[in-house]
Amino acid sequence: MIIKRYIVNSMNEAMTRIRYELGKDAVIISQRKIRKPGFMGLFSKKILEVTAAVENVKKGDEQVVDSIEAIKKAVESVKVEEKKVEEQKDEAKAVQNSEELLREMQDMKSLISEMMSKPQDKTPRRTKLQVKLEESDINEKLVKKLLTKVKAVEGEEDELQKAKAAIEKLISVSKAKMQGAVVLVGPTGVGKTTTIAKLAGRLSLLEKKTVGLITIDTYRIGAVEQLKTYADIMNIPFRVVFSMKEMETAMEAMKDCDVVLIDTTGRSCKNTMQISELRAFVDKVNTDNIHLVISSTTKNRDVTSIIEGYRPLNYNNVIITKLDETSTYGSVLNILDAAKKPLSFITTGQNVPDDIKAISAAEVSSLILGEDNIC
Ligand SMILES: Nc1nc2c(ncn2[C@@H]2O[C@H](COP(=O)(O)OP(=O)(O)OP(=O)(O)O)[C@@H](O)[C@H]2O)c(=O)[nH]1
Ligand SMILES: [Mg+2]
């Protein structure tokens, strides 16, 4: 007897193959619906397993051997089938496990995002005043200092008024007179020359003082045309000095001027050589009217290195420029607090001689707190 198993899509297909392979005498001994073996079989439609048998036409021993072989094969195929069913069960289990894992991960994910979106209760809430001070770009250290001061003040007035008073107390303005030699030092491009031109214009045109201009240009950069042009327009004496000797002669030549404004070329505050060279010139001038010029647009982080880098020049005033280029004025406070020197002027634009003024501590405070602005 020959027994053979067929995996087919339909009974028709089974019949055709059985007829062809086993002949017309073959009989179907079993049929059942199964799924395709393998992982993908789980998701496909069922197929048919048909087992058919036919009497062997061979005779004698041969027939016996064939029958035994056929039975062995049938047993084997049943075993294989059972193994496949077991494997399918395992795969189904694995799928179920990974689905569970996925669900757990999704739960965790939504839990985390829920936690992230909730306000962190541990960090103390920022008060309105703190937000205002921080938004004006006052540095962290000063914001803390101001908040402590505001808290310490007793009285009815609101926090903003207390803060305004506290800021005012931190600011000192200069009473320096524009008399004798006045030196401007500071980083490149902050507006030293423009400020000198503005001062020269005001002093000579409005205050009717006699003014002299000197530029210290040890590097012979030739960046003196700018000031020379202003000097020519205002009809005031102008000298460029390249050496200590020339410095002496220039000062001597202008000794009758009410004010001698001395411009310097920008130096890197990190280059101590350049700074000490400049110091020699400034010492020669022998004045206590030295102004550090610094821009209000200077990054907080750079303020300290500029303030400290120019310290050897013994500046005793600070001029803050380009207030028209910023919308927050906290940097004014940062600069003055770091320098511990009074503010002599602020500049508010490129127009010579208009865009310069001396400003009171109360006005600076109003600017910082947004009660006033420059433009
Ligand atoms: N917006 C604005 N620009 C200014 C102000 N002051 C100066 N500037 C401009 O800044 C640029 C540099 O000005 P300078 O006066 O040449 O600067 P400096 O400090 O003399 O520069 P160095 O001589 O190179 O060290 C120029 O384009 C000026 O017009 C200001 O108050 N506001
Ligand atoms: Mg200049």
Side-chain angles (χ1 to χ4, degrees):
M1 174 174 282
I2 298 170
I3 300 171
K4 210 165 172 188
R5 200 167 56 91
Y6 294 89
I7 305 291
V8 288
N9 289 317
S10 66
M11 206 53 200
N12 256 350
E13 188 192 340
M15 292 304 289
T16 314
R17 285 179 59 188
I18 291 164
R19 285 274 143 77
Y20 181 73
E21 285 174 36
L22 301 181
K24 61 180 177 21
D25 292 324
V27 288
I28 290 168
I29 50 175
S30 82
Q31 69 174 80
R32 63 178 176 136
K33 282 183 179 169
I34 57 161
R35 288 190 190 278
K36 263 187 192 166
F39 179 78
M40 291 309 288
L42 285 171
F43 307 105
S44 65
K45 70 180 207 303
K46 286 183 175 172
I47 50 173
L48 278 178
E49 182 204 64
V50 179
T51 312
V54 67
E55 276 299 328
N56 203 327
V57 286
K58 292 174 195 158
K59 296 279 179 267
D61 286 347
E62 232 184 285
Q63 189 182 343
V64 175
V65 170
D66 277 351
S67 295
I68 291 168
E69 278 308 313
I71 290 163
K72 270 187 189 168
K73 270 187 187 164
V75 171
E76 269 308 311
S77 72
V78 169
K79 273 188 189 164
V80 168
E81 198 50 47
E82 278 173 352
K83 204 175 160 199
K84 278 180 186 162
V85 170
E86 280 307 310
E87 279 172 1
Q88 281 180 6
K89 273 186 192 165
D90 285 346
E91 277 164 0
K93 226 179 186 170
V95 170
Q96 199 183 348
N97 283 347
S98 63
E99 274 172 355
E100 259 173 35
L101 196 67
L102 196 69
R103 221 175 299 127
E104 272 176 25
M105 276 169 72
Q106 274 166 347
D107 286 350
M108 264 166 73
K109 206 173 144 194
S110 54
L111 196 71
I112 289 169
S113 64
E114 202 181 311
M115 278 167 66
M116 300 277 281
S117 64
K118 271 190 191 162
Q120 294 288 308
D121 293 334
K122 279 182 188 161
T123 51
R125 285 222 278 111
R126 290 148 80 223
T127 62
K128 247 172 137 181
L129 178 63
Q130 185 177 354
V131 173
K132 200 174 185 76
L133 297 175
E134 283 170 359
E135 281 178 356
S136 75
D137 281 337
I138 296 177
N139 68 39
E140 214 178 307
K141 184 193 94 186
L142 277 173
V143 169
K144 267 191 199 152
K145 190 170 171 178
L146 285 169
L147 290 174
T148 319
K149 286 193 177 220
V150 166
K151 257 192 201 153
V153 178
E154 287 177 10
E156 289 299 294
E157 70 215 306
D158 66 17
E159 278 200 325
L160 201 62
Q161 287 311 309
K162 289 179 187 171
K164 199 176 164 204
I167 292 173
E168 252 182 81
K169 273 192 193 150
L170 288 180
I171 294 165
S172 68
V173 293
S174 170
K175 293 179 182 65
K177 279 227 161 72
M178 290 292 111
Q179 201 76 40
V182 179
V183 185
L184 264 58
V185 296
T188 316
V190 289
K192 295 179 296 295
T193 306
T194 314
T195 305
I196 292 254
K198 287 172 184 172
L199 288 171
R202 295 198 145 235
L203 291 165
S204 67
L205 304 174
L206 299 178
E207 296 183 29
K208 309 285 181 207
K209 286 185 175 164
T210 52
V211 179
L213 293 181
I214 295 177
T215 283
I216 302 173
D217 185 11
T218 47
Y219 291 104
R220 296 177 184 269
I221 309 171
V224 293
E225 281 309 310
Q226 196 186 351
L227 200 53
K228 188 176 183 316
T229 311
Y230 286 119
D232 288 347
I233 295 168
M234 294 177 214
N235 196 26
I236 50 183
F238 172 71
R239 291 243 182 157
V240 186
V241 304
F242 299 107
S243 66
M244 297 294 246
K245 187 85 200 107
E246 283 171 339
M247 186 79 220
E248 226 171 276
T249 9
M251 287 303 288
E252 180 59 28
M254 293 188 184
K255 71 174 189 309
D256 292 332
C257 292
D258 295 326
V259 193
V260 179
L261 298 170
I262 301 163
D263 191 13
T264 57
T265 40
R267 318 271 156 146
S268 161
C269 61
K270 289 175 193 145
N271 190 327
T272 43
M273 265 288 286
Q274 288 186 2
I275 296 289
S276 43
E277 188 191 29
L278 185 58
R279 186 184 168 166
F281 277 87
V282 175
D283 284 351
K284 194 92 192 157
V285 179
N286 193 20
T287 176
D288 59 356
N289 216 338
I290 304 163
H291 301 245
L292 172 69
V293 185
I294 182 167
S295 167
S296 60
T297 59
T298 310
K299 276 190 280 170
N300 261 343
R301 231 171 271 178
D302 297 334
V303 165
T304 328
S305 56
I306 293 168
I307 296 283
E308 295 313 321
Y310 280 90
R311 206 62 92 183
L313 295 175
N314 294 321
Y315 56 87
N316 40 18
N317 297 277
V318 178
I319 295 174
I320 303 179
T321 58
K322 308 193 182 183
L323 263 75
D324 56 306
E325 284 191 0
T326 175
S327 52
T328 56
Y329 304 99
S331 62
V332 175
L333 191 62
N334 300 337
I335 291 167
L336 295 178
D337 181 69
K340 304 273 184 266
K341 299 288 175 196
L343 176 68
S344 48
F345 296 101
I346 57 160
T347 76
T348 56
Q350 294 178 299
N351 297 319
V352 177
D354 289 339
D355 296 337
I356 183 164
K357 64 175 180 174
I359 186 174
S360 71
E363 284 173 299
V364 175
S365 193
S366 293
L367 275 179
I368 292 171
L369 291 173
E371 291 176 349
D372 203 356
N373 65 31
I374 288 296
C375 303

